[in-house]
Amino acid sequence: MAYKIVIADVTELSEEIIDVSFDASIPKDSFARSSDIEATLTIKGKVSFDADKLFMRDAAKSMATWALVKPESADAYKKVTVEYQHATAPRKYEFSHAFVVSYEETFTKTDGEFTLVLKQKKDRIDGVVIE
């Protein structure tokens, strides 16, 4: 399985991705189909300090920096494209106005992992494309 992730003006990732998940949901307390729809992408990957993979260190730094952007900044929202390249079942998710819900890094003595949670801006939910 191979991933290609593009976060506009932040980074491109194609290696060291562990897992990607997509979730579309409405509030749990709803008793009917709600127009209050949320779309979430969760991306998990490795942060390697191997000399051949320092791009992941830099990519992680770029994502961490994006996570700290203030909400009133135009840079808080980015176009994000995630492609899962599989021979028989490829999938593509595109968020036109993604923002960071959370970003986490954890490290061991040799390397680390990151988890990036993104949501589509609620008034732009029609900007989510799934292919």
Side-chain angles (χ1 to χ4, degrees):
M1 95 186 103
Y3 295 99
K4 179 180 179 187
I5 300 169
V6 177
I7 304 171
D9 304 321
V10 176
T11 193
E12 290 188 25
L13 307 167
S14 60
E15 297 180 31
E16 304 297 322
I17 302 301
I18 298 169
D19 182 59
V20 174
S21 64
F22 168 80
D23 177 66
S25 61
I26 61 173
K28 304 285 187 226
D29 61 351
S30 181
F31 291 104
R33 181 66 178 162
S34 172
S35 61
D36 190 15
I37 302 168
E38 294 182 358
T40 307
L41 278 171
T42 302
I43 302 166
K44 296 179 183 179
K46 292 187 178 284
V47 180
S48 178
F49 291 100
D50 182 310
D52 295 332
K53 298 180 181 176
L54 288 179
F55 66 92
M56 283 308 297
R57 180 201 63 189
D58 296 338
K61 181 179 177 184
S62 295
M63 290 183 288
T65 301
W66 179 36
L68 297 173
V69 172
K70 295 187 184 260
E72 57 272 3
S73 171
D75 287 336
Y77 299 97
K78 302 284 185 188
K79 180 178 179 181
V80 176
T81 304
V82 175
E83 293 181 53
Y84 174 69
Q85 301 162 341
H86 186 278
T88 59
R91 177 72 79 195
K92 180 178 177 181
Y93 301 99
E94 187 175 283
F95 282 26
S96 63
H97 291 78
F99 65 94
V100 179
V101 173
S102 66
Y103 179 79
E104 178 182 348
E105 293 179 348
T106 56
F107 292 96
T108 64
K109 290 182 180 181
T110 57
D111 61 7
E113 292 186 0
F114 72 86
T115 301
L116 175 65
V117 179
L118 305 172
K119 283 192 177 187
Q120 173 76 349
K121 190 175 182 193
K122 197 168 274 196
D123 64 346
R124 300 295 180 104
I125 199 71
D126 58 344
V128 174
V129 175
I130 302 171
E131 296 177 359

